[in-house]
Amino acid sequence: MSSIIIYPFAKRLTLSINNCFSIKSFSNSALQHPKVNNFIVFFNSEISKHGRNRNLKEAESVFNRMPYKNVVSWTAMLTAYAQNGEISKARGVFDTMPHRTTASYNAMLTAYIRNNLVEEAFQMFEKTWEKNPVSYAAMITGFVQAGILDRAEELYGKVSAGWRDPVCSNSLMNGYLKLGRLEEAVTLFEGMIERDVVSWSSMLDGYCKKGRIFEARELFHKMPERNVVTWTSMIDGYMKGGFFNEGFGLFLSMRGDCLVTVNSTTFTIILEACGDFGRQPEGLQVHGLVLRMGFEFDGFLGSSMISMYCKFGCLDVARLVFQIMSKKDVISWNLLITGHIQNDDIDEAYIIFERMKSKDEFSWTTMITGFANIGNMEKAVELFGMMPKKDGIAWTSVISGFVTNDEHEQAFHWFNSMIANAIQPNPITFSSLISASAGLATLDQGLQIHAHVIKMIMENDLSIQNSLISMYTKCGNVVDAYNIFNDITSPNIVSYNSMITGFAQNGFREGALKLFTKMMTIGQEPNEITFLAVLSTCVHVGLVEEGKKYFEKMKSVYHIEPSVDHYACMVDLLGRAGLFDEIIDLVNSMPMKPHAGVWGALLSASREHLCVDLAKLAAEQLIDLEPGSATPYVVLSNLYSISGKKKDEDQIRKIKKLKGIKKSPGCSWITVQNRVHLFLAGDDSHKEIELVKVTLQTIMKEMREMYDFDKNGTMSFEEFVALNKFLTKVQQAFSDLERDRGYLLPDAVFEGLQKIGFSLDSPAFYTVCESFDKQKNGVFRLDDFISLCIFVQSSRNLFNSFDTAKQGRVTLDFNQFVYCSKSISDTS
C-alpha cells in the first residue's frame, strides 16, 4: 500500500533525494526550504518505521546517508536502537548528539526503562534540566515495572498538581492495578481532575481482571469517549467472567458503532471465547466476518482460529487454517500439536512435531505430556532425553507423568535427579510430588517435600497449599491440613473442595458441612466437586433429608447439572436408608446411562437390606459393565446363602468359576525406616515373612489370653472389631516413636502408653517394664510393646469389672492395681 501512495511523485522525489545525498552541506537558508524540510521528515519517519520493524541495518543506512540531521533524526535513531535492545548504541547516539532537547532526554530515559535499567534511567531523569509531564510519567512507569511502587508514589508526590493529570496519574494507577491494589487505583482515579480515554480504559481493565464485571460495565457506560481498546477490554472481561452472551452481544454493538473499527485483537478474543465455551455457530460466523473484512491470518489471529477449531474437535479445519496462514510461527505449530493431543490423536500430533523445523521447549514438553497422559512413559522419557535444552518445566512434565500413571517411586527418583542437575523446581513440581506422597499415603515423604517448599519460600503458593491440604488429609493428618487452609489468604474453590473432601474422608462430617455453610456465606460459589464431597458426607452420616436438599439446591440455585457420580451418591444415601422406591425413580430419571458406581451402590444397599431381586438386577448390570469384576458374583452368592437359596448360590459360584473370575487379593502396606512394605493376601514373598508369622502367632496367643473365647475357639464380631481398633492404635503409637530404630527405649514406651490412653505413673510403669525386658538391654521390640499394651489393657478390663462388682467401693486406683497385679503374677 505504501508504494502506491508514494508512486505519483516518485520520479521527482528520486532525483531530489539523490541530489540531497550528494550535497556536502546546507546553508541555513537552504535548511529552511520546505522541500528540504519535507525530505528530513520523510527520512525521520523511515528510521522510525525500520526501527519498529526490527530492521536496524536499514534504519542505520538511512540515518548515516542523511547529509543533515535534526534533533528528531537523532532521537529516532536512538529510539530504534532502544526498541531492539541495543542500549549501548542508543547511549552512543545520545552522547554524540550535537543538540539535546527534553524530548531527547525522555527518549533516553524511556530506552533505559524499556531495557529494565531503572537506576540508570533515574540518573538520566536527575540530569534532565527541563522536565515535563512525560519525563515524570516515564520515570514513574519505570519504578512501577521494577516493582518499586513506594518510589513511584514518592516521585508522584513531587509532581506539580497541574502536571499530574492525566499522564502521571495514569502511570501510577497502572502500577496499583499491576499489583492488584484495585481500591487504591479507584481512589486515585476518582480524585483525578482530568481523565483521558487511557484513564477510563485502564480502570475498566482493572475491574475486569478482578472479576468485578458489574462495576466495569457501569464504568463503561459512563465513559465520555470509547476507543477500540475500551470495547475490547470490556468484551474480554465478559468472556473471562463466564458471560459469553453479554460479551458477544457487546461485540455486535461494537460492530454497529461507526466510530470504532474492530481490530485483530478483538477478533482474537472472540475466537478464543467461542472455543472455550464450545459455541461453534458463533465461531463460524466470526470466521466468515474475518474473511469478509479482509484480515490476514497473521500469527495471533490464525493461532486463535486453530485453537478454536481444535476445541470444537474439527481437526481437519484447524489444519486447513494452519496451511493457509501467511506466517507460521512456533506458537501456531504448538497449538496444532496441542489440539491433536487434546483430541486423543497422539500419532498425528507426533507427525506434526517431527515436521517442525524449529522446536522450542513448549513443543517438546507438550509431546512429553501427551505420551505420559496415554501411559507411554517410555516414549516420554525417550523424548526428554532427546531435548537439546531441558528446563524445569520439562523435568516437571516427566515427574507429573509418573505421578499420573501411579509410578510414585519413579517420580521421587526423577525429582532427586532434577535436584542433582541443579534444576530449580517450580510450584507445579512440588504439587505433583505432594500428590505422589498422598498416593503412597506416606506422610514422611510428604513432610520432606513440605520442607523443600519452605526452604524455597514457596509455602504461600496457592497451588502448593491446596496440594498440601489434600496430601495431609489423605494421610489422616486433618489438623495440619486445616492449619494450612487457615493460613491461605484468599482460598479459592479448590482450597475449599480439598478441605471439605478431607473432612469427609476422615470422618469429620460436621466439619465438612460447617465449612460448606461458611463457604456459601462468604459468597464463594460451590462447583460440582464441592457438592460431590457434601453428598458423600451426608451418605456417611445418614443425613437423608439434608442430602436431598443439597442435591436439589445444586440444580435449582447453582444451575449445576448433576453428573453420574452425584447420582451414585444419592443412590448410596437412599439405599442405606432403605428407600428403594425412591432409588428406582431416581435411576429412571437419570439423563445419562448409570455407570458401575450407581449399580455398585444399589448392590451394596440391597445386600444390607436383603433385597434379593434388586441385588440381582444391580449385579447383572455390573457384570455387563465390568465383566472381569468378582464383586457382583461374591455379593450375590453371599446374599443367596443368607436367604437360604442354596441352588442359586451354587449356580453363581459355578458361573464365576467357569469364567475364571477371581477376587483380587486384599492389600495393605506400611512404611518402616523410609521403605514401603507391601503385603498381599496369600503372598509369602516378603523377605521377612517368617518373622512376620512369628509375630502374628505371638499376637494371637496374647489375644486368646486377653479375650474370652467360646469352647469352639471363636470370638464375637464385636470383640474382633474392638481388638482390631486397639491393635491399630498400638501399632500407630509404636511407629510414631520408633524413630527408624525398630525398637523403643523405656521413656519412649512410657510416651507410647500415654498416646494410646494409658496413664500409668512411674512406679507402676517401671515395675511392669522390668518383667517385660526380654532383651535384657532395656529396649522394647514391636512384639514386646504389643504384649505390654495387651497386659495393661487386660488389667484395666479386670480393674473395671472388679470396681463395678464392688459398686465403686474399691480403695485402689488403677496404677496401684497394675502394680499389685503384676507383682502377684511374678510371685506366682
Side-chain angles (χ1 to χ4, degrees), residues 272-289:
E272 288 178 354
C274 289
D276 291 338
F277 287 90
R279 303 293 284 261
Q280 190 167 347
E282 290 88 345
L284 293 173
Q285 292 175 29
V286 175
H287 186 171
L289 185 60

Side-chain angles (χ1 to χ4, degrees), residues 213 278 398 400 415 457 525 549 616 651 705 721:
I213 305 301
V398 176
S400 299
F415 174 69
I457 319 175
E525 285 205 2
K549 180 184 71 175
K616 183 179 178 182
Q651 185 179 1
E705 295 174 359
V721 170

Side-chain angles (χ1 to χ4, degrees), residues 596-614:
V598 175
W599 296 115
L602 180 58
L603 180 62
S604 178
S606 302
R607 179 187 60 186
E608 286 291 320
H609 295 274
L610 303 179
C611 294
V612 179
D613 293 338
L614 278 178

Side-chain angles (χ1 to χ4, degrees), residues 405-479:
N405 289 282
D406 295 329
E407 297 183 48
H408 302 122
E409 295 288 352
Q410 280 289 343
F412 285 109
H413 169 75
W414 274 75
F415 174 69
N416 291 333
S417 299
M418 181 180 184
I419 298 298
N421 281 274
I423 304 296
Q424 178 109 350
N426 56 47
I428 300 175
T429 317
F430 286 122
S431 294
S432 297
L433 290 167
I434 292 166
S435 297
S437 300
L440 287 171
T442 53
L443 191 55
D444 288 345
Q445 289 275 27
L447 290 172
Q448 291 178 32
I449 299 301
H450 195 173
H452 271 290
V453 168
I454 295 170
K455 184 178 179 180
M456 299 189 67
I457 319 175
M458 292 188 188
E459 65 270 26
N460 291 324
D461 181 271
L462 186 57
S463 63
I464 291 178
Q465 289 172 315
N466 291 339
S467 297
L468 284 170
I469 291 170
S470 295
M471 185 269 291
Y472 278 117
T473 55
K474 286 179 180 178
C475 293
N477 192 343
V478 181
V479 174

